[in-house]
Amino acid sequence: MPQPRFIGWLILLAAAVSCREPLERDCFIKGSGPYVFTVEMGDTTAAYDFALYTRVDGETDGRQSLPMDLHWRAPSDRLYSETVYLPLRGKRAEGSLQVYAPYREDVRPYEAGTWTLTLSIPDSVALSGMRGMGLLVTRRKTIWDTEN
């Protein structure tokens, strides 16, 4: 019969292995914005990829892209801002345009912790049929990962 101590160590080992951070996180916020996403980047040795997605009901009024103001707030409270243009092309299904676009790839945060991304679309260019905005965050494996 196995020793109770051995069984306890086995349970702890199984719990530790099952508590890995997922490689992909996805969040969709309904409505017209601003959209506030919380992004965990606790591993400064990892690289992160970001993609934006949305769904637009109806037409895009002939526009090719949608300007968006993005504000990143670091764990230390430093603020970084930029304007990006979301290409309004994608797959049409049941009268809706499904848009998916890579935003940033191979991002290596200089500061570990919880970052906040606030994304807003100026009222003057907002699309009436936009359902919301989504953010997909993918953490790439590093040489230090023990996963196979």
Side-chain angles (χ1 to χ4, degrees):
M1 176 159 185
Q3 297 286 338
R5 188 178 208 172
F6 175 73
I7 293 173
W9 280 109
L10 204 56
I11 290 171
L12 283 174
L13 179 62
V17 170
S18 66
C19 291
R20 286 188 212 136
E21 177 184 358
L23 293 179
E24 224 174 61
R25 292 188 183 212
D26 177 23
C27 181
F28 185 81
I29 300 172
K30 294 179 182 179
S32 59
Y35 309 98
V36 181
F37 301 97
T38 301
V39 181
E40 272 304 321
M41 290 193 282
D43 183 359
T44 58
T45 66
Y48 298 85
D49 295 339
F50 301 96
L52 298 169
Y53 64 94
T54 189
R55 186 173 227 174
V56 180
D57 295 328
E59 297 301 316
T60 58
D61 303 328
R63 289 189 244 172
Q64 300 297 311
S65 62
L66 182 65
M68 301 181 296
D69 297 320
L70 280 71
H71 303 280
W72 284 95
R73 186 167 301 280
S76 65
D77 216 30
R78 292 182 71 179
L79 188 64
Y80 303 90
S81 300
E82 67 180 326
T83 299
V84 299
Y85 293 82
L86 181 69
L88 292 176
R89 59 181 178 266
K91 185 171 78 172
R92 280 229 174 250
E94 301 172 15
S96 293
L97 176 67
Q98 299 173 16
V99 177
Y100 172 89
Y103 160 52
R104 292 269 178 239
E105 293 179 348
D106 201 32
V107 174
R108 296 177 189 273
Y110 72 91
E111 190 176 330
T114 303
W115 290 66
T116 303
L117 171 62
T118 303
L119 187 151
S120 57
I121 299 167
D123 290 336
S124 61
V125 295
L127 292 171
S128 61
M130 199 164 124
R131 293 188 186 182
M133 184 61 63
L135 177 70
L136 176 66
V137 180
T138 305
R139 182 179 68 87
R140 295 186 192 179
K141 293 182 182 182
T142 67
I143 59 171
W144 304 109
D145 283 337
T146 57
E147 301 171 9
N148 291 332

